[in-house]
Amino acid sequence: MPTLLLVRHGRSTANTEGLLAGWTPGVALDDRGAAQAAALPGRLAGLPLAEIVASPLQRCQETVRPLLDARPGLTAHTDERVGECHYGDWTGRKLAELSDEPLMDIVQAHPSSAAFPGGESMRAMQTRAAEAVREWNARVERDHGADAMYLMCSHGDIIKSLVADALGLHLDLFQRIAVEPCSITAIRYTRLRPFLLRLGDTGDFRSLAPREEPPAGDATVGGDAGAP
């Protein structure tokens, strides 16, 4: 079965403003995010990508654009199932404000039982994304062969949930996984089991350096903004 490269979108304006963007329209890459996207073709040079699949949201479409420009023969597809979690009434709110919501404790410690008011549950989010990957695996293998490789550009919580699925981890453990903006996570699927080949690889270790403000103990819903 194919190898899947999961790319989180580059840093967005919502990331830098500390907002939970969700499906808010018009959320673009910021200057750093645009630079991250521009570097993506070079980072993937030499890899024989068969297809590109992306979330319909603007920040993901902008992230894959330089790659598509560099490889005009590649076919691009949009799949809503790998779009961001539907955060409902939380959409567009400041993450700092949401930290005081009682639901945030559930999102952090027991996400399999968390459902966003007016939105979807985290279980539903993981299910739709995992189903999309399985369908794309079958399609890519059928059209390009069992050793094919394809890329999917999505969002932090989606990618973390797919990593948990690949590792056989309960969704309640997925907040222990971190993927930075424009990081690459590689999963090779086989008939019996998936193999996690890379996790959140940016080729940049600046995010490991001590920060002026220590990172919060809780996971950032939707994914953090990465290295300063």
Side-chain angles (χ1 to χ4, degrees):
M1 295 181 70
T3 295
L4 169 62
L5 301 183
L6 287 163
V7 176
R8 185 183 167 203
H9 62 78
R11 194 173 74 177
S12 72
T13 54
N15 291 145
T16 49
E17 293 170 9
L19 299 175
L20 186 60
W23 283 71
T24 304
V27 176
L29 300 182
D30 67 5
D31 289 344
R32 179 172 174 80
Q36 290 170 332
L40 198 55
R43 293 171 63 197
L44 297 174
L47 294 183
L49 298 177
E51 307 272 3
I52 291 183
V53 183
S55 156
L57 293 170
Q58 180 176 335
R59 52 199 184 274
C60 287
Q61 297 289 322
E62 290 180 351
T63 298
V64 299
R65 177 50 50 194
L67 185 59
L68 290 169
D69 290 342
R71 302 196 191 192
L74 269 178
T75 302
H77 308 272
T78 296
D79 194 325
E80 291 195 358
R81 294 173 298 176
V82 297
E84 182 63 282
C85 184
H86 291 276
Y87 295 116
D89 296 344
W90 282 23
T91 301
R93 292 181 60 188
K94 287 275 189 183
L95 287 164
E97 298 173 359
L98 292 170
S99 64
D100 295 328
E101 294 280 353
L103 177 61
M104 184 60 83
D105 290 337
I106 307 300
V107 170
Q108 293 293 333
H110 195 29
S112 66
S113 67
F116 295 98
E120 72 179 330
S121 69
M122 302 199 90
R123 283 185 294 106
M125 173 199 75
Q126 183 188 44
T127 297
R128 63 172 163 85
E131 287 178 348
V133 166
R134 282 161 175 74
E135 289 183 20
W136 277 104
N137 283 348
R139 177 173 173 175
V140 170
E141 180 173 6
R142 181 198 67 203
D143 294 344
H144 303 282
D147 295 327
M149 175 181 292
Y150 72 107
L151 181 146
M152 182 176 284
C153 184
S154 188
H155 307 266
D157 281 349
I158 296 286
I159 294 173
K160 287 162 55 178
S161 74
L162 290 171
V163 170
D165 175 75
L167 293 176
L169 293 177
H170 197 285
L171 184 60
D172 286 348
L173 301 178
F174 102 124
Q175 296 289 28
R176 303 183 184 194
I177 299 166
V179 289
E180 288 202 24
C182 226
S183 64
I184 299 173
T185 294
I187 302 172
R188 178 164 60 86
Y189 289 87
T190 73
R191 185 173 63 87
L192 295 179
R193 65 184 64 86
F195 292 88
L196 181 64
L197 306 179
R198 296 285 190 279
L199 175 61
D201 190 339
T202 63
D204 181 348
F205 294 94
R206 286 179 296 171
S207 64
L208 300 181
R211 303 187 188 184
E212 292 183 8
E213 293 187 13
D218 285 335
T220 303
V221 180
D224 66 17

